[in-house]
Amino acid sequence: MIRAFAALEKGGELKPFEYDPKPLGSEDVEIDVEYCGICHSDLSMLHNDWGITQYPFVPGHEVVGKIADVGSAVKKLQVGQRVGLGWYSRSCMTCEWCMSGNHNLCATAEGTIVGRYGGFADKVRAHEAWVAPLPDAMQPVSAGPLFCGGITVFNPIVQFDVKPTDRVGVIGIGGLGHMALRFLHAWGCDVSAFSSSADKEPEAREMGANHFINSRDSNALKSVEGSFDLILSTVNVDLDWSTYIACLRPKGRLHFVGVVPNPISTEIFPLIMAQRSISGSPLGSPATVTQMLDFATRHQIEPIIETFSFDQVNEALEHLRSGKARYRIVLKH
C-alpha cells in the first residue's frame, strides 16, 4: 500500500489516505518521495477549477526522490538513483509529437495528478521517459519546483530560440517569475521585471532583472513601448494586454505560461502592423527538462523555497493560497 495525503471532496482538507498501486508496469518506475513542491496548479486541481479533478485527489507533481523499483523493461534508470518527476507522468511514445521529441504535446499525455495519485505520498509511479536523473551537483531539497515551474519558464527560451542579445520582460515576480528572471539573466538577456509590487524591486534585481517596471505606473509602461523581443506572462490574473503588446518590438511576442481566468481581448491591428504574436506553451519535453537541469547546474540556478513537513501539508497549502509563499513551497519527509 502507498500512504498519501488526499482530499475526498472539492476543496477539502487533505487527510491520510492509502491505496493499492497494483503491479508495476514494465516500463514504469516507483519513486521513494523525499521532497515534493507545491504548485498553484495543485490548488487549482484541489478546487476542480479546470473541471478535470477526480476524488480522492492526491496532489503533488514536483517530486524528488530515489528509485525504489523498476519495471522489467526499464533501461535508463536504476534502483537507488535520485530523480525528479513533474507535471507529466506518461505519453504514448508513438504519435508524431512523441516521435519528433515533442512528448509534451502528445494528445494523450498523462498528468501526474490527473486521473491518478500524485506525489503528496511516500511513493509515486511514472513512465521512465518522464523521470529525469538529478545532477549530482544539484541540491535535492530545492530541485522539485524546477520540474514544473522551472521547466514552464525555461521551455519558451528553447522553443523560440531566445538569443542572449534579446530584450525580455517578465510579468509577475512570483513562483514562476522569479525562476524566469534567473534563467534569462544567465542566458545573457537584458531582463526587465514587471510587477505591481514596487517593494519587490530589490529582490527582482537580485534575481537577475536589469530593469524594474512598476506595472501600476502608466508612465513607466509608456516609457518602454516598442522595447521587447519577448514578454513572458507568468501571472494568473487579467491585465490590459494591449498595453503589453504595445511594449513589444516588431516581430515581438507576448507569451503566456500563467493561466489567466478570462479570454484575452486585444485589437488585431497592432499585431498585424508590427508582425507581433500572442502564444502559450505547456511544460517541456523530457529532453528539454534534461537541458534545463544541465543549465541550472552549470549556472547554479535554484528556486527560492520555504519548507514544510508532509504532516504540515494543509498549513503549507494555506500559506500558498494566502499569497505568502516566497517563492516556492517544498514538502519534505
Side-chain angles (χ1 to χ4, degrees):
M1 300 294 285
I2 289 179
R3 296 186 299 275
F5 289 93
L8 303 182
E9 59 186 6
K10 178 179 177 179
E13 180 181 355
L14 268 62
K15 298 179 179 179
F17 172 73
E18 290 189 354
Y19 68 94
D20 182 352
K22 308 302 181 186
L24 187 66
S26 63
E27 296 181 352
D28 293 349
V29 299
E30 184 173 85
I31 304 168
D32 278 334
V33 178
E34 296 177 299
Y35 307 99
C36 189
I38 301 181
C39 177
H40 203 277
S41 298
D42 291 309
L43 277 180
S44 297
M45 287 289 292
L46 176 62
H47 293 279
N48 199 23
D49 291 344
W50 303 331
I52 57 174
T53 307
Q54 297 177 27
Y55 301 92
F57 170 62
V58 178
H61 58 278
E62 295 182 346
V63 175
V64 169
K66 290 184 178 180
I67 300 290
D69 196 7
V70 299
S72 59
V74 170
K75 296 176 181 176
K76 74 166 189 170
L77 300 170
Q78 295 83 40
V79 171
Q81 192 171 11
R82 182 170 277 127
V83 295
L85 170 68
W87 176 261
Y88 295 114
S89 58
R90 186 182 306 276
S91 56
C92 78
M93 309 304 290
T94 58
C95 71
E96 65 172 301
W97 303 108
C98 287
M99 294 299 287
S100 64
N102 295 285
H103 306 67
N104 54 318
L105 304 181
C106 175
T108 60
E110 178 184 272
T112 298
I113 61 172
V114 182
R116 62 192 301 285
Y117 299 134
F120 286 12
D122 60 353
K123 298 178 186 292
V124 69
R125 292 179 172 184
H127 188 274
E128 67 165 329
W130 283 100
V131 176
L134 213 65
D136 291 339
M138 182 168 281
Q139 293 291 333
V141 64
S142 58
L146 291 172
F147 287 89
C148 182
I151 188 58
T152 295
V153 296
F154 185 84
N155 191 46
I157 299 174
V158 175
Q159 296 303 316
F160 302 126
D161 191 25
V162 171
K163 296 176 175 58
T165 52
D166 282 350
R167 301 181 185 121
V168 183
V170 177
I171 304 173
I173 313 306
L176 291 173
H178 89 281
M179 284 188 274
L181 293 180
R182 291 187 160 183
F183 279 131
L184 289 162
H185 176 78
W187 205 261
C189 300
D190 186 70
V191 188
S192 295
F194 290 87
S195 177
S196 59
S197 303
D199 60 349
K200 283 190 176 180
E201 179 171 357
E203 281 182 285
R205 290 187 179 276
E206 188 177 329
M207 294 169 193
N210 303 99
H211 316 282
F212 183 88
I213 299 149
N214 184 345
S215 56
R216 296 184 187 274
D217 183 344
S218 57
N219 290 328
L221 292 169
K222 187 76 174 175
S223 72
V224 292
E225 287 186 354
S227 296
F228 298 99
D229 299 287
L230 172 70
I231 296 178
L232 189 65
S233 175
T234 71
V235 297
N236 57 0
V237 296
D238 295 316
L239 299 174
D240 180 5
W241 301 116
S242 60
T243 297
Y244 291 93
I245 291 169
C247 294
L248 295 172
R249 302 177 72 209
K251 295 191 176 182
R253 178 186 299 271
L254 173 60
H255 187 75
F256 289 85
V257 294
V259 182
V260 297
N262 290 300
I264 296 165
S265 177
T266 184
E267 294 180 359
I268 199 66
F269 207 59
L271 299 178
I272 291 174
M273 293 305 294
Q275 202 173 317
R276 296 164 171 145
S277 58
I278 299 172
S279 56
S281 64
L283 294 83
S285 70
T288 310
V289 170
T290 298
Q291 184 179 0
M292 174 200 66
L293 294 174
D294 289 345
F295 186 80
T297 302
R298 185 177 304 175
H299 293 277
Q300 298 181 320
I301 295 170
E302 58 183 26
I304 298 171
I305 66 164
E306 299 175 89
T307 59
F308 289 75
S309 71
F310 270 86
D311 289 341
Q312 297 173 298
V313 61
N314 289 296
E315 296 170 43
L317 284 168
E318 183 54 37
H319 191 63
L320 176 61
R321 188 183 288 113
S322 65
K324 296 176 181 177
R326 290 294 183 270
Y327 280 93
R328 304 291 290 200
I329 297 172
V330 174
L331 300 174
K332 60 179 182 178
H333 279 296

